[in-house]
Amino acid sequence: MTASKPVFSERLLECLRRHRYFAGMSRSFLRQLAAEATCRRFAAGDVIFLDGQPCAGFWVLCEGQVKIFKLAPSGREHILRLLGSGDSFNDIAALDGGPNPANAAALSDVQCYVIGRDALLRAIQSDPALAVALIQALAGRMRGFVQQVEDLALHSVTTRLARFLLRQEGAAAAGGSGVTRAAIAAHLAAQPETLSRALTALEKAGVIALDRTTITILREDLLRLIAMR
């Protein structure tokens, strides 16, 4: 991992401008926030932070893929979120001042920026529109976690896989985007062999096409029917 002192980044400014939290903010507002960010770079496989450690701040991912995960006492990994360029993470800890609620690790080479909690809170206090955007986004995130719990408790691996592929929009759900099938299995709380059988079943049904690195959706209509089971 490498880090640099806060320095203004046009790349971060563009990431913030596209982010749903900050989309309505003025350019001058975003420039001021970006100027307080610290650039961090990680190689594939690096741990970004650990569950329970003090929070460094609010993270914005500008390049690469990151997984947010928890570890069972047995060492089994469950991936809570798979993130790509433009996403943010550790929002909750940055807002409530508590420790990191999960682990974060790089799935590929990563460039991200961390904005300290004090800077984030000043930004929220200076613009009520940002506070509203944060509340709405976090409410949406909560709905997503409720759906994830429902999926794990009530639906088959094939149904969970169909919902995952639809959320990823089928662009590059595995491998080529840095998200391996092992990571998908960990996200779906499935054994790799079970995931492999579900993928094969969808392929034989003509719903998806598989190669060594990617999953391509061929019949979104059928995939949506499977996701509704």
Side-chain angles (χ1 to χ4, degrees):
M1 183 269 286
T2 61
S4 59
K5 294 180 179 179
V7 59
F8 178 75
S9 164
E10 287 287 348
R11 185 168 195 180
L12 173 59
L13 181 64
E14 183 61 22
C15 285
L16 292 175
R17 190 184 63 80
R18 296 196 308 266
H19 195 284
R20 58 182 176 176
Y21 291 177
F22 307 104
M25 305 296 105
S26 69
R27 188 174 181 85
S28 60
F29 179 95
L30 295 180
R31 285 184 67 89
Q32 183 175 354
L33 187 60
E36 299 195 61
T38 300
C39 181
R40 303 277 181 91
R41 292 182 175 85
F42 300 87
D46 282 354
V47 171
I48 297 174
F49 56 70
L50 293 173
D51 187 357
Q53 285 183 334
C55 170
F58 171 78
W59 295 75
V60 179
L61 178 58
C62 287
E63 181 180 328
Q65 295 83 34
V66 166
K67 63 179 178 180
I68 307 298
F69 64 100
K70 298 284 282 189
L71 290 175
S74 65
R76 184 177 178 183
E77 178 182 281
H78 178 63
I79 295 178
L80 303 174
R81 297 176 67 203
L82 294 166
L83 307 173
S85 178
D87 288 329
S88 61
F89 55 103
N90 224 29
D91 321 43
I92 298 300
L95 289 170
D96 72 8
N100 302 325
N103 307 285
L107 289 170
S108 65
D109 290 347
V110 161
Q111 180 179 350
C112 48
Y113 292 83
V114 59
I115 299 171
R117 180 171 186 263
D118 289 346
L120 180 64
L121 292 181
R122 284 196 301 271
I124 294 170
Q125 290 164 358
S126 70
D127 195 324
L130 176 55
V132 171
L134 277 163
I135 291 168
Q136 291 175 335
L138 291 174
R141 182 88 51 80
M142 181 59 67
R143 285 184 181 274
F145 280 129
V146 170
Q147 182 65 64
Q148 190 174 358
V149 170
E150 177 187 328
D151 287 349
L152 294 174
L154 302 177
H155 298 294
S156 68
V157 171
T158 301
T159 298
R160 301 202 300 267
L161 173 60
R163 293 181 177 193
F164 171 82
L165 292 174
L166 290 169
R167 287 195 299 271
Q168 300 300 308
E169 298 179 351
S177 65
V179 181
T180 65
R181 294 181 193 180
I184 296 173
H187 180 57
L188 299 179
Q191 294 294 331
E193 314 84 66
T194 306
L195 175 69
S196 181
R197 288 195 293 269
L199 286 167
T200 300
L202 292 178
E203 183 181 37
K204 287 181 177 179
V207 178
I208 62 172
L210 300 174
D211 63 27
R212 292 183 63 253
T213 61
T214 59
I215 302 169
T216 304
I217 295 176
L218 301 177
R219 291 289 305 274
E220 184 177 333
D221 56 336
L222 293 180
L223 195 63
R224 290 192 179 281
L225 288 175
I226 293 167
M228 293 172 62
R229 289 178 182 173

